[in-house]
Amino acid sequence: MMLRALAVVASLSGATATFASCPAPELGHVDIYPTANVLPENLLRIYVYYPRPMAFGEGFANVRLLDAEGVVVEGAFLPTREELWSPDRRRLTLLLDPGRIKTGLIASETLGPVLMVGQAYTFEVPALAVDRNDCPLGTTTTFQFTVGHADVTPPNPSEWTLNGPTAGTREPLDVGLGTAHDHLSLAFRLRVIDADGELVPGRIDLGAAEANWIFTPHLPWTARPYTLNVEETLEDLAGNRPGVLFDRPAVQSAIPWQDKLPFTPRS
Amino acid sequence: MTALKPLAVLGAIALSTGSAAADMPQSFGILEFGPDNTLFVADSTAGAIHAYTLPADGTAPEQDAAFNLLDVDQLVADALGATGRLVYSDLAVHPVTREAYASVTATADSADVGAVVAVSRDGTARVLDLEEMPSTKFMLDAPADASVTFWRDIPAPSLTITDLDFANGELFVSGVSTGEFASTLRRVPYPFADASTSTSIEIYHAAHNQNETRAPIRAMAVVDIDGTATAVAAYTCTPLVTIPVDALEDGAHVTGKTIAELGYGNTPLDVISFQAANFQGEVSSYVLVVNREMDADLISMENLTSAAAGPGLSEPVPYLGATSGVQTVPLPLSGVVHIADQDGQFLLALRRDLDTGAMELVSFRKGSFFRLSDFISEYNFPDYAYADDEMSTGTRMFQNLLKADEGFPGQIRQ
């Protein structure tokens, strides 16, 4: 930490040459998930996608959560010894302290939840965040949202709507999820399987606020039946899973849910 | 209701390679020694565990002796030929030579340089030439099927390995997913085969009112409790949980028994088990939890056994900062980043000097669990006279022992 800080100070004080060789500030924009403007009080995760591989050990120093007055919300993110980077060091997973999300937890009752219902917040990735070449991003990215009531309804695939594409076309299958879901879960925990049990190749897009899962097959749909398979680890924005709330025991309280949604393209 | 079986389990594969030249770890994380000169290196970036067969030419030291290296950063940086910041991911002790093996990454250059560095008591540091060692590899996750693409570049959720423990022919692997919030404990047989088992674990967090959690395990050790191989696992903020290994069947959901709440606002760094003899030569077993924000917690096997046999905690702790459960002894191991069982008489630690920031590689005598040279007290004054009574003589003898341990034989007082 110390050496890193010194390196940054050094490059700020003297060597503009160091910055000159860094990517241009307009290339420093980051993407932030979730994208909805209203997020639940019990939001579990914020993901940051950086434009290039970032320095290790600086993840927490390089993000801030500000309240409506611009004051930093202290202790918002769960510190972990191993920062939760993707292998390419371009995505950082930030867990909002689960100790302050779970109902009944002492930390939750003493410190209060991180996010307060009805309040506005700004999540900020400052321009000084450094990549692994010690180059600052150069652009501050902010994401503003307000906080709605806690999401205490687990994902329920039985209530999803499937638009039903037409056989012989590559019309997208549009699945209405009803509420926002975790974008990583939507990328990896839902798959279309054909009548032979084979994975259907295709492209996944997400609707606004990650509330629609849109699948375009690489090859036209056949008129045979398909299923949309849902893994049990699918999570919504609050970490709830099908049949299981985030802060309730899965072992005792899991309720049955439908993990295969059948559909047959219209002929 | 079982959905798609987790791909991670279906897809876990073992690969054997004669030489690791083309297949070095992409990141250097947790270290663990196994049988027959095996060193396991966890590679979270690639989602892999490498098993290296070290040369069998090491000899045991003639006697147990302490490490007193007060600036290991310089030694490691010189060995690596790297400049800049060093991150130590783990520390392990070679079971024969008793050398320190540190998993290190130098991060200041444009590309990270990772390595396992062996450090001897005399301050010799060498980078292990892993490329030349026979090795095998176990992949924890199958690569995602590339036939499904996404609206943008989305790396798959991956497991950041938080701990490894080798016991009874198996590796136990705990980790934090960058995607799902989950507690998964995997058992990987060694030598590596194609299959591993994966169990999701829930705990009762006694700082909750009856709520349980699938929080990830931060550190763990598998120990024998009353004849039963049992994982002792520590979580953030800081429940301590026991899970009999037999319960860890593939696909099972298991509830661990919470035997202690060690305190809020803390991340456990290491859980180790070790044996220590008292002055009468009687050997006892202990479990030690080293914490990032708090005192370390020493737990006798006796207390651990009775807690594991009991009902576990079922009542919430009454206030923030309260602790409950198994009786622990707080140890003054502040600044310790990683700790390992060194030999019969010492624990070995990487410790950050809180004033200078220097990384030390130092031993702590079992039983005392502190270093006399950390302190200046009245005993240090040349004109201090130890009294002639039994207690003062005992203090003097013990301090002489620690002075010799810590490299100050000239200060031994007769």
Side-chain angles (χ1 to χ4, degrees):
Chain A
M1 196 66 93
M2 189 175 292
L3 289 177
R4 169 75 61 189
L6 287 173
V8 174
V9 169
S11 48
L12 283 174
S13 58
T16 45
T18 307
F19 281 12
S21 62
C22 291
E26 53 268 31
L27 301 176
H29 185 79
V30 305
D31 289 335
I32 295 160
Y33 285 83
T35 65
N37 292 322
V38 179
L39 296 173
E41 179 190 13
N42 56 346
L43 177 71
L44 181 59
R45 273 176 296 248
I46 293 176
Y47 300 92
V48 183
Y49 283 86
Y50 294 91
R52 47 189 190 264
M54 297 298 284
F56 183 81
E58 301 294 314
F60 295 107
N62 282 335
V63 295
R64 300 201 300 172
L65 184 66
L66 308 170
D67 67 15
E69 276 74 50
V71 177
V72 173
V73 180
E74 297 291 347
F77 303 110
L78 182 70
T80 56
R81 182 175 68 187
E82 313 82 1
E83 295 178 351
L84 298 178
W85 289 102
S86 60
D88 64 6
R89 200 74 64 73
R90 292 173 62 172
R91 179 182 64 214
L92 179 64
T93 303
L94 294 159
L95 287 165
L96 278 82
D97 188 343
R100 296 173 65 175
I101 294 172
K102 287 177 179 166
T103 51
L105 190 67
I106 299 285
S108 154
E109 291 176 358
T110 311
L111 300 176
V114 173
L115 303 175
M116 308 291 280
V117 176
Q119 298 293 307
Y121 293 87
T122 300
F123 177 77
E124 180 183 289
V125 180
L128 275 176
V130 290
D131 68 15
R132 61 203 246 165
N133 295 319
D134 276 342
C135 284
L137 290 176
T139 298
T140 296
T141 306
T142 57
F143 166 58
Q144 290 170 327
F145 61 95
T146 56
V147 174
H149 289 291
D151 178 355
V152 290
T153 308
N156 187 353
S158 310
E159 295 180 353
W160 294 351
T161 57
L162 278 61
N163 74 329
T166 305
T169 75
R170 290 179 61 237
E171 278 176 13
L173 168 71
D174 190 336
V175 181
L177 307 168
T179 60
H181 283 60
D182 180 83
H183 82 287
L184 254 188
S185 271
L186 294 181
F188 289 97
R189 304 303 167 213
L190 294 177
R191 288 292 180 267
V192 176
I193 306 296
D194 69 18
D196 298 322
E198 298 294 327
L199 177 72
V200 178
R203 173 192 160 94
I204 293 169
D205 288 281
L206 300 184
E210 296 91 66
N212 282 68
W213 189 83
I214 301 160
F215 180 78
T216 307
H218 289 337
L219 298 173
W221 299 105
T222 70
R224 301 176 69 197
Y226 293 83
T227 57
L228 175 64
N229 281 18
V230 186
E231 282 194 39
E232 62 187 330
T233 52
L234 178 89
E235 295 183 357
D236 64 19
L237 297 187
N240 301 314
R241 296 180 177 182
V244 187
L245 287 174
F246 175 68
D247 64 356
R248 295 288 186 277
V251 173
Q252 290 95 337
S253 72
I255 51 172
W257 57 280
Q258 190 178 356
D259 65 353
K260 292 182 175 57
L261 303 179
F263 66 96
T264 303
R266 290 186 298 269
S267 49
Chain B
M1 66 154 271
T2 307
L4 281 182
K5 209 158 160 48
L7 287 171
V9 177
L10 285 179
I13 44 173
L15 301 172
S16 293
T17 47
S19 161
D23 202 20
M24 290 283 284
Q26 294 175 39
S27 62
F28 289 78
I30 304 292
L31 302 178
E32 173 78 2
F33 278 97
D36 305 324
N37 302 301
T38 303
L39 175 66
F40 298 107
V41 180
D43 175 4
S44 289
T45 296
I49 298 168
H50 294 256
Y52 292 98
T53 303
L54 305 183
D57 54 2
T59 55
E62 288 176 14
Q63 59 184 28
D64 296 347
F67 281 71
N68 299 302
L69 303 173
L70 300 184
D71 185 4
V72 76
D73 271 339
Q74 195 59 53
L75 299 174
V76 170
D78 289 347
L80 278 173
T83 56
R85 198 166 60 109
L86 298 174
V87 176
Y88 296 82
S89 298
D90 204 11
L91 172 70
V93 174
H94 191 290
V96 176
T97 67
R98 308 296 174 181
E99 288 172 296
Y101 280 60
S103 172
V104 188
T105 305
T107 64
D109 300 327
S110 57
D112 294 348
V113 178
V116 179
V117 179
V119 184
S120 308
R121 281 187 58 244
D122 64 5
T124 310
R126 65 191 161 87
V127 176
L128 293 200
D129 192 358
L130 297 178
E131 289 189 36
E132 296 304 314
M133 294 179 191
S135 71
T136 55
K137 183 170 85 164
F138 186 83
M139 296 296 297
L140 289 167
D141 292 292
D145 193 318
S147 70
V148 176
T149 58
F150 310 119
W151 68 100
R152 59 161 297 145
D153 179 32
I154 303 276
S158 56
L159 193 73
T160 298
I161 298 166
T162 56
D163 212 351
L164 288 180
D165 202 36
F166 185 82
N168 309 319
E170 290 178 301
L171 263 181
F172 293 82
V173 185
S174 62
V176 187
S177 170
T178 58
E180 289 81 21
F181 193 75
S183 177
T184 304
L185 192 52
R186 302 190 190 203
R187 299 169 72 171
V188 180
Y190 182 77
F192 293 141
D194 284 342
S196 66
T197 60
S198 182
T199 309
S200 52
I201 298 183
E202 296 191 0
I203 62 167
Y204 176 80
H205 198 321
H208 295 195
N209 292 338
Q210 305 300 323
N211 291 341
E212 307 201 19
T213 175
R214 46 188 151 100
I217 292 171
R218 306 299 316 181
M220 60 163 181
V222 176
V223 298
D224 184 314
I225 298 183
D226 224 6
T228 303
T230 305
V232 179
Y235 294 70
T236 295
C237 134
T238 313
L240 192 67
V241 172
T242 56
I243 307 145
V245 162
D246 283 350
L248 302 174
E249 294 176 355
D250 199 21
H253 292 280
V254 171
T255 303
K257 183 185 290 181
T258 305
I259 60 166
E261 288 289 338
L262 300 177
Y264 174 71
N266 175 57
T267 299
L269 293 174
D270 270 341
V271 177
I272 63 169
S273 64
F274 64 90
Q275 293 190 315
N278 62 15
F279 287 116
Q280 284 72 45
E282 297 158 343
V283 174
S284 304
S285 296
Y286 299 89
V287 164
L288 175 66
V289 182
V290 173
N291 298 305
R292 187 186 176 95
E293 282 84 9
M294 307 189 309
D295 295 333
D297 291 291
L298 181 69
I299 305 165
S300 72
M301 191 54 73
E302 199 173 36
N303 286 337
L304 186 65
T305 302
S306 61
L313 302 185
S314 56
E315 296 294 321
V317 294
Y319 56 89
L320 185 66
T323 61
S324 64
V326 69
Q327 186 184 344
T328 74
V329 176
L331 297 186
L333 295 175
S334 174
V336 168
V337 177
H338 295 291
I339 199 161
D341 187 15
Q342 182 188 320
D343 55 30
Q345 298 190 60
F346 296 99
L347 300 177
L348 180 61
L350 281 165
R351 183 174 70 163
R352 185 70 77 185
D353 183 307
L354 297 181
D355 294 323
T356 67
M359 186 66 88
E360 306 172 337
L361 183 61
V362 290
S363 302
F364 290 84
R365 177 167 283 278
K366 291 174 180 176
S368 74
F369 304 109
F370 79 107
R371 287 177 61 85
L372 187 64
S373 53
D374 288 345
F375 308 94
I376 294 175
S377 67
E378 68 272 25
Y379 299 114
N380 293 83
F381 293 99
D383 59 347
Y384 178 81
Y386 288 91
D388 210 12
D389 57 67
E390 191 178 340
M391 189 173 166
S392 291
T393 303
T395 300
R396 180 170 56 82
M397 300 286 283
F398 187 61
Q399 292 188 344
N400 283 346
L401 180 67
L402 296 181
K403 288 171 182 173
D405 286 347
E406 297 170 26
F408 299 98
Q411 293 192 21
I412 285 175
R413 297 283 296 272
Q414 300 303 322

